[in-house]
Amino acid sequence: MKKLFSFFIIILLIFSSQLNAIAAKNQHLALKSKGAVLLDSETGAVLYAKNADKRLYPASLTKIATAIYAIEKGNLDSIVTVSKNAVEQDGTRVYLIEGEQITLKKLIQGMLINSGNDAAVAIAEHIDGSVERFAANLNRYLKTTVGVNNTNFSNPNGLFAKNHYTTAMDLAIITNYAIKNPVFTEIFGTKVLKWEGKSWKTTLLTHHRMLKGELPYKGITGGKTGFTTEAKQTLATTADNGKLKLTAIVLNSDQKKDKYDDTAILFDYGFKTFHHVTLKQGEIFKMDTKEYYPENDTVITENVNGCIKRLNNGGALSIENNNGQVIQLVSLKYKEPMPKKVPKKIEKPTENKQQLYGANALYGIIFIAAAGVLIGVRKKFTRGY
């Protein structure tokens, strides 16, 4: 069942990834980030895209992929022994020490909340034995399970490597996949966490300023920050206004402020411009003589000013804005035509049957006449007595 669900998710994500060029072409937002994507977290609809398939460096947004892979493959209660290699990582850390033993879940918390590069390597070595093997397995997992094709990660933490890249669209799809997991969602949305390590006892605070509340935006539910000199500023954020749930990715912002401003612009646009509508089970959509229908009630995302529903030859329903921007593709089921009823032939009586019918009729008349005579004679004799 899990494989079937994963296959279904991959098909939907492949459909969604084909929409970004159209979405970017038909709408312009004043974003400073080089790459950006806004998705409906529930339907996967692509609401906005800018340079969505351009290869860019993700920095610590890599840790979103590391986290969901570790959560799905590992045992969260398993004990990880920290290696020298993990301890020697550059950049942001949770100050692990060699030989320290810590649960996998706590390492994932330290990696996502405090962006610990040491924690990320400790996770990789625990899950797959080495960073190199982890990277190979992670890339395979992202292709076959999550359904992205423009991503290659050479490490678990996002420290710069020339062959370590992704796209805004791929990261949006990865994040959207990850937030379906309740453990990931809990950690992704954690603002404050008490941390007690062997060498560091502190309170971890999320680095994401919108999630933390330093840059207030109503409805923020989770987030991850990133920065390297080569990647510049990167940001992943989720939000929920009670009607829509949105996922925003921005990559390659020059200034830290820019990535937050761009994220707010994306959310403002998404919440103001779109809403959910339900395609009813069995609702018929026609193309020429063929009919298609949703097998179940299906939630779609459409522009608040209405949309165009266009059926293609493959039976996919395209949800478009009035200006032609494709928002979502929904697979429908082909309705088999009803077999034509063949009229029953009325059998004409043959000559023999006609003669038989005539004889039977004659015998009937003779029988009725004889019965009448007998009744008359009987009455006559009765009166005589």
Side-chain angles (χ1 to χ4, degrees), residues 118-176:
D118 49 357
V121 169
I123 290 167
E125 292 175 338
H126 175 73
I127 295 292
D128 284 319
S130 70
V131 167
E132 294 74 21
R133 193 175 298 118
F134 178 87
N137 290 339
L138 176 61
N139 289 325
R140 189 177 304 111
Y141 163 85
L142 293 175
K143 286 185 175 75
T144 60
T145 301
V146 181
V148 297
N149 294 297
N150 294 313
T151 293
N152 185 77
F153 291 151
S154 56
N155 62 62
N157 50 30
L159 289 174
F160 176 72
K162 189 174 182 180
N163 202 37
H164 186 99
Y165 60 81
T166 187
T167 67
M169 179 61 73
D170 275 13
L171 269 178
I173 291 171
I174 293 167
T175 304
N176 239 23

Side-chain angles (χ1 to χ4, degrees), residues 127-379:
I127 295 292
D128 284 319
S130 70
V131 167
E132 294 74 21
R133 193 175 298 118
F134 178 87
N137 290 339
L138 176 61
N139 289 325
R140 189 177 304 111
Y141 163 85
L142 293 175
K143 286 185 175 75
T144 60
T145 301
V146 181
V148 297
N149 294 297
N150 294 313
T151 293
N152 185 77
F153 291 151
S154 56
N155 62 62
N157 50 30
L159 289 174
F160 176 72
K162 189 174 182 180
N163 202 37
H164 186 99
Y165 60 81
T166 187
T167 67
M169 179 61 73
D170 275 13
L171 269 178
I173 291 171
I174 293 167
T175 304
N176 239 23
Y177 177 89
I179 60 176
K180 303 299 188 293
N181 183 290
V183 175
F184 178 90
T185 301
E186 172 204 340
I187 301 172
F188 196 60
T190 300
K191 302 176 184 179
V192 181
L193 180 72
K194 187 177 180 180
W195 182 269
E196 291 189 6
K198 287 287 185 181
S199 67
W200 197 38
K201 294 183 179 181
T202 188
T203 298
L204 301 182
L205 299 176
T206 178
H207 296 184
H208 196 296
R209 298 182 67 193
M210 294 172 81
L211 180 61
K212 193 188 302 184
E214 290 180 355
L215 297 173
Y217 192 100
K218 188 176 180 181
I220 299 296
T221 56
K224 180 74 191 77
T225 62
F227 172 78
T228 65
T229 302
E230 297 81 3
K232 299 185 179 180
Q233 297 288 340
T234 65
L235 194 69
T237 317
T238 56
D240 179 359
N241 73 347
K243 296 179 181 179
L244 288 180
K245 296 179 181 179
L246 302 179
T247 300
I249 300 292
V250 295
L251 298 178
N252 200 273
S253 304
D254 288 327
Q255 304 296 323
K256 184 181 291 188
K257 182 178 182 297
D258 293 342
K259 65 183 180 184
Y260 290 108
D261 289 344
D262 286 354
T263 298
I265 290 170
L266 288 169
F267 285 149
D268 286 345
Y269 169 71
F271 287 134
K272 181 181 178 181
T273 310
F274 300 95
H275 66 170
H276 282 164
V277 174
T278 301
L279 297 179
K280 294 297 183 181
Q281 180 183 17
E283 183 178 350
I284 298 297
F285 297 90
K286 295 183 178 181
M287 170 170 277
D288 299 326
T289 59
K290 295 181 179 180
E291 296 184 344
Y292 298 85
Y293 64 93
E295 290 191 82
N296 302 292
D297 285 354
T298 304
V299 177
I300 63 170
T301 311
E302 67 174 36
N303 193 290
V304 294
N305 294 322
C307 73
I308 299 168
K309 298 182 180 72
R310 203 186 308 275
L311 194 62
N312 67 26
N313 290 327
L317 188 67
S318 173
I319 313 301
E320 304 175 8
N321 283 343
N322 291 326
N323 63 1
Q325 177 186 350
V326 179
I327 301 302
Q328 188 177 356
L329 285 172
V330 180
S331 293
L332 302 181
K333 187 173 180 63
Y334 176 60
K335 183 179 181 181
E336 296 287 346
M338 294 290 290
K340 293 182 179 179
K341 291 185 178 180
V342 179
K344 292 183 178 180
K345 291 184 179 179
I346 300 175
E347 187 178 356
K348 293 182 179 181
T350 63
E351 185 178 346
N352 290 337
K353 287 184 178 180
Q354 287 176 341
Q355 291 175 352
L356 180 61
Y357 293 156
N360 287 341
L362 180 60
Y363 292 149
I365 292 170
I366 294 171
F367 177 78
I368 293 170
V373 170
L374 288 174
I375 292 170
V377 171
R378 185 178 179 186
K379 286 182 178 179

